[in-house]
Amino acid sequence: MQTKEEKYAALLPAVHSLMSGEEDEIARMANLAALLHHEFGFWWTGFYRVSKDDSLVLGPFQGPLACTRIQLGKGVCGTAWAEDRTVVVPDVSKFPGHIACSSESKSEIVVPLRSHGRVIAVLDIDSRELGTFDNTDARWLEKIADCVYGPR
Ligand code: SME
């Protein structure tokens, strides 16, 4: 069986080829969400984009319905945005202010996407198991997220 590390490494060329074939950011996010979601069997995989009114608005995703707006500093997504860092949550019930879009979600990772030094979107992934995400996921997902807008 492939390790997580090997799985991400094997996926990277597919990510590059998806991104090089299309420059529209929504199309890139849509296919990237689908690729990660189906490759890893996550519960929810998608993007929130920073909108003009200074909230996060739901973007392309795979999985069940999700909340459409998240304010700066709220939930895991709003925290990753406000603090400009990847947030790994092994147990969402222990994260103060976690926004439960689905009661099935047990652990989560949120990775910021930057352009010209500013966070302009986040990649949010939820798992139905506790402790799914660690530093390996953070490192690889940051690399993958970078591909949407270019190097950070
Ligand atoms: N749990 C997230 C909200 C988005 S859903 O997981 C899709 C949060 O706390 O920001």
Side-chain angles (χ1 to χ4, degrees):
M1 209 179 93
Q2 271 185 321
T3 64
K4 201 192 271 196
E5 183 86 31
E6 288 166 344
K7 219 165 165 181
Y8 279 115
L11 209 63
L12 205 56
V15 173
H16 284 307
S17 107
L18 274 181
M19 299 301 114
S20 66
E22 176 56 62
E23 62 181 35
D24 182 272
E25 72 184 77
I26 301 288
R28 285 174 169 225
M29 287 176 179
N31 264 345
L32 191 48
L35 183 70
L36 290 170
H37 192 76
H38 293 288
E39 208 53 49
F40 286 91
F42 296 133
W43 174 244
W44 195 93
T45 312
F47 292 88
Y48 282 90
R49 296 186 306 134
V50 175
S51 84
K52 282 191 205 94
D53 71 353
D54 232 20
S55 63
L56 289 172
V57 63
L58 184 63
F61 73 95
Q62 299 270 316
L65 298 183
C67 46
T68 57
R69 295 269 171 184
I70 297 174
Q71 302 306 315
L72 184 68
K74 300 292 178 197
V76 188
C77 292
T79 300
W81 174 26
E83 298 180 6
D84 191 354
R85 65 179 179 92
T86 297
V87 180
V88 175
V89 183
D91 180 350
V92 295
S93 73
K94 300 208 163 72
F95 188 92
H98 170 256
I99 301 163
C101 293
S102 156
S103 58
E104 293 286 327
S105 175
K106 299 286 188 293
S107 59
E108 181 164 358
I109 186 168
V110 179
V111 178
L113 277 66
R114 303 181 188 92
S115 178
H116 301 104
R118 288 178 65 88
V119 177
I120 52 166
V122 298
L123 167 62
D124 178 17
I125 306 181
D126 289 19
S127 163
R128 285 216 276 187
E129 274 103 54
L130 289 165
T132 295
F133 307 103
D134 56 22
N135 285 338
T136 301
D137 300 277
R139 199 159 35 81
W140 281 99
L141 290 170
E142 283 168 2
K143 224 191 274 274
I144 288 170
D146 274 352
C147 298
V148 177
Y149 292 105
R152 47 182 74 211

